[in-house]
Structures are given as structure tokens and as C-alpha cells.
Amino acid sequence: MTTGVRRRMGVEERRQQLIGVALELFSHRSPDDVSIDEIAAAAGISRPLVYHYFPGKQSLYEAALRRAADELAGLFEEPHDGPLGARLLRVMGRFFDFVDEHGPGFSALMRGGPAVGSSTTHAMIDGVRQAAYDQILAHLGVAEPSPRLALVVRSWVSLAESTALIWLDGRLVPRGELELQLVHDFAALAAVSAAYDEEMAGVLAEILSREPADGPFGDLVGRLVRLAPLVVPGQRLR
């Protein structure tokens, strides 16, 4: 038998509830368009009570972004078993799951949203990028990357971010194709760098030596081989 008496939340529990409610609302609409009144109504509390836990919308927004940033950074964690191509493809699958589910919130996080210019927001964005960078290096088994390898990994992290933001504007390219293309992009960036640097050539050779023919990197090689007759030095493209 229920008494109808609602259990009173503790301070931290209520704060976490409000963060979750705000993040859910921000996931479907731009944070600029979500009011404190809406957040209060969704949480089942009064507007003044929201201000009791957060001094303003900005602080609640930043707390919601912190949770989103922590979740986003964790998406790049992956067991280091099996070929790198398959690992990166799983990472991209989780990454686009997040982007798909939290579109406006993801855009707000990566573009700054209402907190443009905020040092706190910039620090969160940088933290996500650094976590992704560190995880990719861990997948490669490299503790101290060469300048060229660091450039490849950071360029790829930036490419994944910008690709996701562009994709959100209409979702015109099938998600699965983009996920695979981004894995191919990593191999392509590494291959171009390897053409200029022996150390990078060694890194690429080590990666490819562990890749099966039917994996994402093998798929890229097959696609390039099929293109080869169309691109002959000294001749026009057909």
C-alpha cells in the first residue's frame, strides 16, 4: 500500500536529477531555447527551487555539458584486442550513437552554445579531444608519439568532430557509411604521412600487418585498387 508521500531528495541527488533533465532537454533543442521554467516543470519542482541548486541557467548548462563531455570522452575507450580497424569502427559506432541521440546538445558542446567564450566550456571541449587523442595513441601502443603521428591523430579527432557536426545538418549521408569512411580517413591520413616519414611508414606497416583482408582497412585497399585504372599519372581522369 502506498502512502502517496513523495520521498525527499538529498542535495546531490536533486542536483543530479536537474542535470539529467537539462541534458535531456538540451539533447532535443538548442540550450538557448530551453528555459528554467521548462527544466523546473520537467523535474517536477518550482523555478525558485532550481535556483536553490544552481545560481543560474549558465551554471546548470555547464553542469549538463560536463556530464555530456564525460560520457563523450568515454566513448573512445575500447578493449585493445583485435585489429585496429575493427576497434575504430566500434568507437565510431558509439560516437555516432551519441551524436544521433544528443544532436543539439552535441552541437552546443562542440560549438560552445550559450557559453561561447567561457573558459569552463573550452576546457571541457579540450578535455574531450585530449581523451580521444590519448585513447587512439593507446590503441596504437604509442606512449611518446612522433610529431607526425601526433598530427595524424589530432587531425583525425578533429575530422570526426567536424564530420559529425556537418552530418547533423540534415543527416544527408547514411550513418554507417560515415562511420566506415572515418575509419578509412584515419588510414588515409596515416598513409599520406607515411609517404613523407620513415617512422610513420613503420607505424603504418605495423598496423596493416595485423589487419585482416575483410576488415575496414582491407576494404579501403580494395576500393583504392578498383579506382587505380581511373587515375593514371599524366592522363586526365575519366
Side-chain angles (χ1 to χ4, degrees):
M1 178 178 178
T2 60
T3 62
V5 177
R6 183 180 298 176
R7 181 179 66 84
R8 184 172 181 175
M9 292 186 182
V11 173
E12 185 56 28
E13 186 179 7
R14 177 66 78 184
R15 280 179 55 84
Q16 293 304 316
Q17 182 216 17
L18 286 170
I19 291 171
V21 167
L23 184 57
E24 177 63 22
L25 291 171
F26 295 157
S27 294
H28 300 289
R29 290 159 55 204
S30 168
D32 286 321
D33 298 332
V34 178
S35 68
I36 286 291
D37 287 331
E38 290 179 90
I39 294 170
I45 62 176
S46 66
R47 175 189 175 96
L49 195 53
V50 175
Y51 285 110
H52 175 72
Y53 294 100
F54 294 94
K57 179 179 172 180
Q58 182 67 29
S59 62
L60 178 53
Y61 170 77
E62 289 183 357
L65 285 190
R66 166 54 62 195
R67 181 181 291 184
D70 289 343
E71 182 179 346
L72 187 55
L75 298 179
F76 287 84
E77 297 179 4
E78 171 75 21
H80 296 175
D81 300 324
L84 178 64
R87 283 184 255 158
L88 292 182
L89 190 57
R90 288 192 292 270
V91 167
M92 286 296 96
R94 290 196 299 272
F95 178 67
F96 273 89
D97 280 344
F98 182 94
V99 171
D100 205 3
E101 183 178 354
H102 302 287
F106 175 81
S107 294
L109 173 62
M110 306 318 289
R111 290 176 172 148
V116 170
S118 164
S119 59
T120 300
T121 305
H122 285 320
M124 283 189 277
I125 295 170
D126 288 342
V128 171
R129 291 168 178 157
Q130 185 63 40
Y133 172 79
D134 291 341
Q135 284 295 324
I136 299 306
L137 288 182
H139 283 297
L140 294 172
V142 177
E144 297 291 337
S146 67
R148 285 187 184 276
L149 179 56
L151 181 61
V152 165
V153 176
R154 291 200 185 279
S155 297
W156 184 73
V157 170
S158 178
L159 179 62
E161 173 191 323
S162 59
T163 298
L165 288 171
I166 294 169
W167 178 76
L168 282 172
D169 188 17
R171 293 174 167 82
L172 301 179
V173 178
R175 231 189 79 175
E177 290 183 16
L178 276 187
E179 292 168 11
L180 181 59
Q181 181 179 315
L182 280 165
V183 176
H184 288 172
D185 285 335
F186 181 85
L189 286 168
V192 170
S193 185
Y196 288 86
D197 183 76
E198 289 187 7
E199 185 175 353
M200 270 303 303
V203 171
L204 182 63
E206 177 66 18
I207 292 172
L208 295 180
S209 70
R210 302 172 183 270
E211 292 293 318
D214 60 352
F217 291 166
D219 176 69
L220 174 60
V221 171
R223 291 171 185 265
L224 293 176
V225 167
R226 290 193 293 273
L227 281 175
L230 302 178
V231 185
V232 179
Q235 295 183 7
R236 290 184 177 183
L237 297 179
R238 295 179 185 176

